[in-house]
Amino acid sequence: MTTPVAVHPLVSPWGRFGLYSFFIDAPEPAIVDTGISSSPAEGMVPALEAIGRRIEDVRWILLTHGHIDHIGGAYALWELTGRRAQVVIHEADAPMLRSRRAHVDEYLAGRARYLHDPDGEAKLTGATNAVISGELEPDLLVRGGETISLGGDVTVSVHSIPGHTPGSVAYVIDGQNDVFVGDAVQVHGAANGFPGFVDPAGYRASLQYLRDEIRPQHLYLGHPYRRADGTPYGVQLDAGQAAEALQGSLDIEARVNSAACGCLAAGLRDSDSPYSPFARVAEDLGYEGDPTLEPSPFFTTLHGYRAAFDHLTEDEEISTHG
């Protein structure tokens, strides 16, 4: 690449969150992540007009993962491009793009087991209908290892970084090492103050891979994730900040891992605690956030450790009795 490609953050509001997308100003322009249904018209269109660009010219929609606040605006954005943009997502998260119901099923299989909200399914169903602009079949399914041409000599490489979701990916602008990771680098989490991931081992390995192999020159985050003192990083991190956030995320995962494993080894116990059955984890970590505040990373993450622990226990039983 001879000339650096400019990257512009595009922000749109959603409740207590700012939803971030990123415009890659390449010969075939790309937008990374799409917010919710209102984001393309209310956030992206005016932001692009302000820099002299048009949403109609976007040719690539690159999705870092399948969560509602990253794919919700994909159909609306695709429509605004005259249905000409190519939509890209990892095959493991593609069901979340194809079906609103997939988000509800994910909720029921995981954190719903601990939230005990009789209206939870109905509320999430309503939310998916409200904020996902449409169900969409992707144009390109990726696994990691692909290279996407954005025209001229601009290419983006795709890297599988599972953990936050099974199909989380990093998009890297080749030659300048600008790295877009969505929510795959959590540090201390966002509004809830707790890191969220479904696969602890995958999350840890992906952070190590980003730190040791990718080594971002610039790291673009899906939200302003927080340091230990609660102050947020921005969503555009330089090389030093990126290294700090990656190592910080690994350090935090190690602490959560230790607390979770201790709790699981002692046996889960139901109680009146809002953190039940993981009250011991909250106590060990000094965590006082609201575990019911959606998307409830406390229960999502600890369910991931529980699933890994149960799988290991089953393997040991098979080895003993097989």
Side-chain angles (χ1 to χ4, degrees), residues 10-15 17-21 34-36 38-40 42-44:
L10 312 173
V11 63
S12 57
W14 183 36
F17 292 112
L19 301 181
Y20 288 88
S21 304
T34 64
I36 60 170
S38 60
S39 300
E42 295 181 7
M44 298 177 196

Side-chain angles (χ1 to χ4, degrees), residues 136-148:
L136 185 62
E137 180 64 32
D139 297 285
L140 177 61
L141 292 175
V142 294
R143 296 181 176 181
E146 298 84 359
T147 298
I148 298 170

Side-chain angles (χ1 to χ4, degrees), residues 3-289:
T3 304
V5 177
V7 174
H8 301 275
L10 312 173
V11 63
S12 57
W14 183 36
R16 68 186 189 277
F17 292 112
L19 301 181
Y20 288 88
S21 304
F22 299 95
F23 177 70
I24 303 175
D25 198 359
E28 295 181 16
I31 287 181
V32 180
D33 288 339
T34 64
I36 60 170
S37 57
S38 60
S39 300
E42 295 181 7
M44 298 177 196
V45 168
L48 291 176
E49 288 177 349
I51 60 171
R53 298 293 183 266
R54 305 186 322 147
I55 205 161
E56 295 90 341
D57 296 330
V58 171
R59 289 294 171 268
W60 293 92
I61 298 171
L62 307 177
L63 301 171
T64 62
H65 65 292
H67 280 165
I68 195 170
D69 54 329
H70 292 259
I71 62 94
Y75 187 92
L77 175 56
W78 178 66
E79 287 273 312
L80 288 172
T81 69
R83 300 189 171 189
R84 291 180 292 177
Q86 301 285 296
V87 181
V88 183
I89 194 169
H90 191 285
E91 63 180 12
D93 279 17
M96 313 292 273
L97 182 64
R98 294 183 177 121
S99 168
R100 291 182 173 97
R101 181 66 199 183
H103 297 265
V104 181
D105 291 341
E106 179 198 45
Y107 164 80
L108 293 173
R111 61 193 185 275
R113 297 171 58 176
Y114 312 99
L115 293 172
H116 308 299
D117 181 356
D119 299 320
E121 180 176 358
K123 287 190 289 191
L124 190 57
T125 299
T128 61
N129 289 333
V131 304
I132 295 178
S133 52
E135 297 174 333
L136 185 62
E137 180 64 32
D139 297 285
L140 177 61
L141 292 175
V142 294
R143 296 181 176 181
E146 298 84 359
T147 298
I148 298 170
S149 173
L150 302 188
D153 60 354
V154 181
T155 59
V156 168
S157 56
V158 184
H159 302 259
S160 175
I161 49 169
H164 180 65
T165 66
S168 290
V169 298
Y171 297 103
V172 180
I173 302 179
D174 299 319
Q176 62 190 61
N177 230 32
D178 287 356
V179 184
F180 305 85
V181 294
D183 296 346
V185 180
Q186 289 268 317
V187 201
H188 279 271
N192 291 29
F194 202 89
F197 42 89
V198 299
D199 173 6
Y203 181 68
R204 188 181 319 119
S206 294
L207 290 169
Q208 293 167 342
Y209 175 72
L210 289 165
R211 181 194 64 185
D212 299 337
E213 302 296 329
I214 301 297
R215 301 178 189 177
Q217 188 64 30
H218 295 97
L219 185 66
Y220 294 91
L221 305 178
H223 304 281
Y225 288 106
R226 303 187 182 198
R227 300 175 175 87
D229 62 5
T231 59
Y233 285 95
V235 294
Q236 304 174 84
L237 280 60
D238 63 23
Q241 293 169 327
E244 178 185 284
L246 288 164
Q247 186 58 53
S249 297
L250 282 162
D251 293 344
I252 294 154
E253 190 281 326
R255 291 183 57 220
V256 176
N257 189 349
S258 177
C261 289
C263 178
L264 290 163
L268 297 181
R269 297 177 177 85
D270 290 326
S271 69
D272 293 334
S273 167
Y275 305 101
S276 177
F278 303 109
R280 173 174 168 171
V281 175
E283 182 179 355
D284 288 351
L285 296 175
Y287 179 65
E288 298 179 345

